[in-house]
Amino acid sequence: MKDKLPSKKIYKDLPNLLTIIRILLVPVFIIVLWLPMMTGGYIDEFAVRIICACIFAVAALTDFIDGRYARKHGLVTNFGKFMDPLADKFLIIGALLAAVPVFEEFSLAIVISLIIIIFRELAVTSMRLVAKNTDNIVIAAAMPGKIKTFSQCIFVLLLLLEDYVFAFSEFFVTYRPLTWICMAVMVFFTIYSGLQYFAAYKKYIVDR
């Protein structure tokens, strides 16, 4: 009987554990991405990009696994509803902040995108807290918010790998069209999903 208790606890806590792992991978991603800068180019940039892409992909994959696992086994909790999107924020904002000094041709655009993302996330998170404190409601992520997160993840991967994946094409290496297009999609859904939250839960930001 006692031998089965630890495995039961791991089973129940797995979604939340994956969320925590996603948060812990953020500083790992940042440190690895900055290794070429910190070592004066001693460490190969291509290898760093591949490793960072793998770290980021694993972290992003935990987002898909923890939510699906929790719903399948009836393990959805208020902690998961709140911390899961918060972990996504840490991952995306941390990755983009780390990318600013590395990808100079995208620096200004990334900074502008970050301002939009941070403003949106702070506003939506504040509304979540108001909803929780007022009516004890935890606002789960809606579909536009999920698309926003997905497009942000694809953008980071393209930022890391597009010029290597399409190294055979001078056009892709020089202009990085997929990265720019994905950035535009990311910004659009960041704004759109934020507006949707405010439209759906406007009762928490107007006089009742």
Side-chain angles (χ1 to χ4, degrees), residues 14-36:
L14 182 59
N16 293 340
L17 179 61
L18 290 173
T19 298
I20 293 171
I21 290 173
R22 185 155 73 259
I23 294 174
L24 294 177
L25 285 175
V26 175
V28 177
F29 175 91
I30 294 173
I31 291 172
V32 174
L33 185 61
W34 285 356
L35 280 177

Side-chain angles (χ1 to χ4, degrees), residues 78-202:
N78 283 344
F79 174 86
K81 287 181 180 179
F82 185 79
M83 284 303 299
D84 184 58
L86 191 61
D88 297 336
K89 297 173 182 54
F90 285 136
L91 178 62
I92 297 301
I93 292 174
L96 294 182
L97 281 173
V100 170
V102 176
F103 301 92
E104 295 182 356
E105 69 273 30
F106 290 96
S107 293
L108 179 59
I110 292 175
V111 169
I112 294 172
S113 299
L114 269 170
I115 292 172
I116 294 171
I117 290 170
I118 292 172
F119 180 81
R120 183 266 187 199
E121 301 301 356
L122 287 175
V124 171
T125 299
S126 298
M127 190 165 54
R128 287 174 182 270
L129 291 174
V130 172
K132 177 65 176 176
N133 293 333
T134 303
D135 294 328
N136 198 32
I137 294 174
V138 178
I139 302 175
M143 182 54 65
K146 293 179 183 296
I147 296 174
K148 177 263 304 180
T149 301
F150 179 76
S151 64
Q152 289 172 343
C153 292
I154 296 300
F155 169 72
V156 173
L157 292 175
L158 285 172
L159 188 64
L160 290 168
L161 299 177
E162 183 182 7
D163 52 343
Y164 289 112
V165 173
F166 296 95
F168 57 86
S169 170
E170 184 178 351
F171 175 79
F172 279 90
V173 172
T174 303
Y175 297 105
R176 306 288 299 273
L178 296 180
T179 304
W180 285 110
I181 291 171
C182 193
M183 177 185 285
V185 173
M186 171 187 75
V187 171
F188 171 80
F189 276 102
T190 297
I191 296 172
Y192 176 75
S193 62
L195 293 176
Q196 187 200 46
Y197 274 115
F198 277 92
Y201 299 96
K202 61 183 178 180

